[in-house]
Amino acid sequence: MGRNNRKRRTPLATKAIAASAALALGGGGLIWANFYASAHESNNAGQNQTKAANASSVATISCPDVGQKLTNVPNAARNGVAKELATLDKQITEAYARLASTRQAQAGDANFVQNAIVGPLKEKRTATLNRIRIDIQRVGGQVDAAGLSALATCTTQSANQTNAGGGGGNNNGQNNGGQNNNGGQQGNGGQATAAPSADPSAPANIGGQAGNGPVAADFVDITKAANNVQGKPQQQQAGSTGTFTTKCGVNANKNHNTDNVIVAPGVTNGAHHLHDYVGNQKVDAFATNDSLAAEQTSCQNQSDSSAYYWPVVRIQDGTKDFDQNADGGGKEGNVGKILTPQSAEIKYVGSPASKVTAMPQFLRIITGDAKTTTNGLANANAHWSCTGFEDKVQLTEQYPICPQGSNVVRTFAFQSCWDGTNIDSANHRTHVAFADPASGVCGNGFKAIPQLTMRLVYKINPPTLQNGQVKNAYAVDGFPEQLHKSATDHDDFIAVFKNGLANKIANCINSGKKCQ
């Protein structure tokens, strides 16, 4: 097991997050990292999750992320476990929808959330976790049943417990304490509230066109943000300096779905939010390696059939899009006009410390964490900036408000170290790692591969902040209970190369050339 499970790619984070102690159970069974910490201790972002918020301030539901704890599920059990993990996500989504639609009942009964939402959710999760245990044991794996069961308990978070920004500061992977965001948007500039209550004592919604964010504290004027971009590792003589650019378009043909074949294979709407797809043109929950290899690509280089996909960005100005009444769309709090990037640059770069090894066919990588609002920021890898500011400011916990004439820039830099064996792992993280941010060296037996980088540029009219509210906000799609925080941004990739392209990319980078 590599050290990557808690390793950040860049020095953007301003506090160290201690890695959980890992317990390995024999027999090819289950390996987890400190299960009990998630259920009974403060989370990585510093929010105490053992104390339920008062009904009047409950913003969201926080559940241990079971999938990230399962680091070595036997191969024979992975499909079954993945479907059960998708069931856990669906249960949280349904519980959050009930939370958002019962604000008046919550105001009248201090025990309503616990008795009607959190308690029943625990019962459902207990049954699902038991099925996961059975799936693993059925194929000879071993499970600490008590540790797994401990992950059934969910808690609630108030708005100021989430990792929202602190109201204008520059938050780079660090929780600055935030502010109480209840009472966010009250219908200004198209920011309609969700499930409004006639009872003035009922909890206010938490912003956004669908009532689940973003809020004013999620934005910062980039001209007022402190510079934070640090230097890259020094290029060493043995390093690889070439680049390979692949041009795959901006998803102008609107190839979308709410599946995620990496995390939830065989499960429709497994992501609970909408993705843009470029490259491979048939990536859904039922895609297989064989079908991906046979599918057409949007890339100019027809040998690149890789799948590149990311959550869409929406402008929340009151506009409704095609999925307003669909699962993963408006029914799950993802609302507003879907924006197509002005440009999407996909580039593979080298290692400052060594030559790179060609990517293996069908390698899967997820960078970032779609659940940082409840998980904390250990795996966050969001980068938001504006044209003209990219070499000065990169934001993780806030969206930038760009000056006139400047566009929003969203970038990803994927893990660039591979364990040399596996094309995926049970939690989709431990088979790849980030290089050391100071030296660029891969550790623990990992080897350098071409680093996938992506730069998406959006033309967005700047949101405005007035009286603690935001008008015409924009945000990424996400799980509804994650409140559309910028730190939940993430990106997905499946390597599908034909005609020896993987080797051509590595050779180009190793020879110091600029290729496409």
Side-chain angles (χ1 to χ4, degrees), residues 38 41-64 96 99 103 106 113 118 154-164 175 180 182 206 371-376 481-483 485:
S38 292
E41 299 175 7
S42 296
N43 74 0
N44 287 329
Q47 300 105 9
N48 190 323
Q49 306 241 337
T50 62
K51 198 179 288 185
N54 293 331
S56 62
S57 63
V58 169
T60 192
I61 295 171
S62 176
C63 299
Y96 178 82
L99 178 73
R103 295 302 190 186
Q106 295 166 41
V113 173
V118 177
C154 299
T155 59
T156 59
Q157 284 185 339
S158 63
N160 65 348
Q161 285 179 304
T162 66
N163 68 346
N175 187 331
N180 193 316
N182 285 328
I206 47 172
K371 300 178 181 179
T372 56
T373 302
T374 49
N375 283 347
E481 79 282 359
Q482 296 300 309
L483 310 182
K485 302 301 182 187

Side-chain angles (χ1 to χ4, degrees), residues 327-363:
D327 288 339
K331 287 176 65 175
E332 298 187 53
N334 293 304
V335 299
K337 180 182 178 182
I338 298 166
L339 300 180
T340 300
Q342 279 199 321
S343 63
E345 180 184 72
I346 301 174
K347 182 187 294 184
Y348 296 88
V349 301
S351 163
S354 68
K355 303 301 183 186
V356 298
T357 298
M359 282 185 175
Q361 186 77 326
F362 306 124
L363 175 69

Side-chain angles (χ1 to χ4, degrees), residues 205-401:
N205 74 75
I206 47 172
Q209 191 170 315
N212 65 337
V215 295
D218 293 325
F219 294 86
V220 61
D221 181 343
I222 200 164
T223 65
K224 298 177 181 178
N227 292 357
N228 69 324
V229 175
Q230 301 183 28
K232 297 179 180 180
Q234 184 175 355
Q235 189 71 35
Q236 301 178 28
Q237 187 172 0
S240 43
T241 60
T243 63
F244 185 94
T245 300
T246 182
K247 298 179 180 180
C248 302
V250 296
N251 197 29
N253 60 332
K254 302 188 183 303
N255 184 5
H256 299 300
N257 65 51
T258 62
D259 299 346
N260 192 335
V261 69
I262 297 177
V263 174
V267 178
T268 301
N269 192 39
H272 297 275
H273 55 266
L274 197 68
H275 290 122
D276 274 322
Y277 289 87
V278 299
N280 203 288
Q281 291 297 284
K282 186 61 175 177
V283 186
D284 60 21
F286 306 99
T288 65
N289 289 346
D290 287 344
S291 70
L292 292 171
E295 192 53 52
Q296 293 182 334
T297 179
S298 69
C299 301
Q300 289 184 11
N301 187 331
Q302 291 292 295
S303 294
D304 185 4
S305 288
S306 299
Y308 306 95
Y309 59 106
W310 55 82
V312 300
V313 171
R314 299 183 195 244
I315 187 77
Q316 296 195 4
D317 59 358
T319 303
K320 298 179 180 180
D321 217 309
F322 76 95
D323 59 347
Q324 175 68 24
N325 298 312
D327 288 339
K331 287 176 65 175
E332 298 187 53
N334 293 304
V335 299
K337 180 182 178 182
I338 298 166
L339 300 180
T340 300
Q342 279 199 321
S343 63
E345 180 184 72
I346 301 174
K347 182 187 294 184
Y348 296 88
V349 301
S351 163
S354 68
K355 303 301 183 186
V356 298
T357 298
M359 282 185 175
Q361 186 77 326
F362 306 124
L363 175 69
R364 286 150 165 81
I365 309 179
I366 299 173
T367 199
D369 184 357
K371 300 178 181 179
T372 56
T373 302
T374 49
N375 283 347
L377 297 163
N379 290 312
N381 195 27
H383 300 86
W384 293 88
S385 191
C386 303
T387 54
F389 293 84
E390 294 171 77
D391 61 345
K392 304 179 185 70
V393 180
Q394 292 287 342
L395 301 170
T396 296
E397 292 184 75
Q398 287 176 297
Y399 297 107
I401 297 177

Side-chain angles (χ1 to χ4, degrees), residues 12-246:
L12 284 178
T14 54
K15 68 178 179 180
I17 301 174
S20 300
L23 172 64
L25 300 180
L30 177 68
I31 299 177
W32 58 42
N34 200 355
F35 267 164
Y36 290 96
S38 292
H40 302 296
E41 299 175 7
S42 296
N43 74 0
N44 287 329
Q47 300 105 9
N48 190 323
Q49 306 241 337
T50 62
K51 198 179 288 185
N54 293 331
S56 62
S57 63
V58 169
T60 192
I61 295 171
S62 176
C63 299
D65 188 354
V66 178
Q68 292 307 302
K69 306 297 181 182
L70 304 178
T71 59
N72 194 21
V73 176
N75 286 335
R78 285 190 183 178
N79 282 342
V81 169
K83 287 181 171 60
E84 298 299 348
L85 292 174
T87 297
L88 291 175
D89 283 337
K90 183 178 180 181
Q91 291 166 353
I92 298 170
T93 295
E94 292 171 346
Y96 178 82
R98 181 157 172 74
L99 178 73
S101 64
T102 57
R103 295 302 190 186
Q104 188 167 352
Q106 295 166 41
D109 180 358
N111 296 316
F112 181 88
V113 173
Q114 179 61 41
N115 293 338
I117 300 175
V118 177
L121 177 59
K122 179 180 179 180
E123 295 178 2
K124 292 178 181 178
R125 285 173 62 86
T126 297
T128 306
L129 292 169
N130 191 48
R131 292 195 295 271
I132 289 176
R133 175 186 60 79
I134 292 171
D135 282 345
I136 293 171
Q137 291 177 333
R138 183 182 291 126
V139 298
Q142 298 181 24
V143 182
D144 180 338
L148 191 62
S149 296
L151 299 180
T153 301
C154 299
T155 59
T156 59
Q157 284 185 339
S158 63
N160 65 348
Q161 285 179 304
T162 66
N163 68 346
N170 180 13
N171 307 324
N172 299 295
Q174 178 171 331
N175 187 331
N176 288 342
Q179 62 185 24
N180 193 316
N181 299 323
N182 285 328
Q185 316 327 314
Q186 300 296 330
N188 293 327
Q191 302 297 105
T193 59
S197 171
D199 182 353
S201 66
N205 74 75
I206 47 172
Q209 191 170 315
N212 65 337
V215 295
D218 293 325
F219 294 86
V220 61
D221 181 343
I222 200 164
T223 65
K224 298 177 181 178
N227 292 357
N228 69 324
V229 175
Q230 301 183 28
K232 297 179 180 180
Q234 184 175 355
Q235 189 71 35
Q236 301 178 28
Q237 187 172 0
S240 43
T241 60
T243 63
F244 185 94
T245 300
T246 182

